[in-house]
Amino acid sequence: MPFRIISQPIQPAALLHPQAGACATFEGWVRNHNEGQAVDSLEYEAFAELAEKEGERVLAEARERFDLLAVEAVHRVGHLQIGDLAVWVGVAAAHRGPAFDACRYIIDELKARVPIWKREHYASGETTWINCATRGDFADKTPPTAS
Amino acid sequence: MKTYQIRYFAILREQRGLAHETRPSAAPDAQALYQELQDEYGFTLPVDRLRAAINGEFAAWPAPLADGDEIVFIPPVAGG
């Protein structure tokens, strides 16, 4: 399964391939601030069946668009602390160009399309489901990143 | 009257207080069903900020429904 939703800590996969001269990876980490608020932790939730299907489609699109030898991605769910790895994307290709381009394409599409949600926990004790506000300027912004 | 399986995630699960319910309804599609649920439970997200998934796959609004379908209303996503 090249795209998986898991609840355990992510172990970045090996993408070794004898024809590969380039490997590009992206790690999305939980950071301690967002939109000016101090963040204590993040909770991720997924509609796993559809998230894995849609994630697979993103990886298939990347394989069609870019000349790749290996591709894999994983997103973690559950309650994560500052510094934890939330999402990992890895691609291997003969050359660096397609490796970088595909890595960027995959993380951008995963963030835009895959049914995964995050709730921020603030130092104040309050929580917010990111991107689900219905009033204020927050509602129309693109979701903040864990990167 | 049909019977639908509804699953809730994230902010909708929180506002409904449930992750899953079996609901009889006369709503012919997911859009009408959401309006019905919103009237009853006060969901804050307007339908135009959601996507619908029926039986595990995205469906375009208004997303017609058949008896026994499983519906998931998908709030704005925020992975990464």
Side-chain angles (χ1 to χ4, degrees), chain A residues 5-112:
Chain A
I5 299 286
I6 62 166
S7 55
Q8 300 305 310
I10 295 172
Q11 307 289 341
L15 293 161
L16 281 176
H17 190 290
Q19 291 172 294
C23 172
T25 65
F26 171 83
E27 294 191 357
W29 297 351
V30 176
R31 63 162 184 259
N32 72 352
H33 64 95
N34 192 36
E35 304 279 329
Q37 292 241 58
V39 174
D40 264 1
S41 61
L42 277 184
E43 213 179 326
Y44 284 94
E45 182 177 335
F47 175 16
E49 307 95 297
L50 184 53
E52 290 193 335
K53 270 193 272 193
E54 188 69 358
E56 294 280 340
R57 285 192 280 257
V58 169
L59 299 189
E61 287 163 20
R63 284 180 177 277
E64 278 174 27
R65 287 165 176 252
F66 308 101
D67 195 8
L68 304 179
L69 294 164
V71 56
E72 197 157 327
V74 59
H75 201 298
R76 193 173 166 193
V77 291
H79 204 143
L80 275 61
Q81 304 303 311
I82 306 304
D84 281 350
L85 180 54
V87 56
W88 183 88
V89 178
V91 299
H95 303 285
R96 69 187 179 281
F100 278 123
D101 292 348
C103 203
R104 178 65 188 257
Y105 176 82
I106 291 164
I107 186 62
D108 286 354
E109 291 298 310
L110 292 179
K111 287 171 65 69

Side-chain angles (χ1 to χ4, degrees), chain B residues 8 14 16 18-19 22 30 34-35 39 41 48 53-54 57 75 79-80:
Chain B
Y8 298 103
E14 201 169 53
R16 177 64 186 90
L18 290 172
T22 302
Y34 184 74
Q35 303 292 0
D39 290 347
Y41 303 113
D48 63 6
I54 299 172
E57 201 45 87

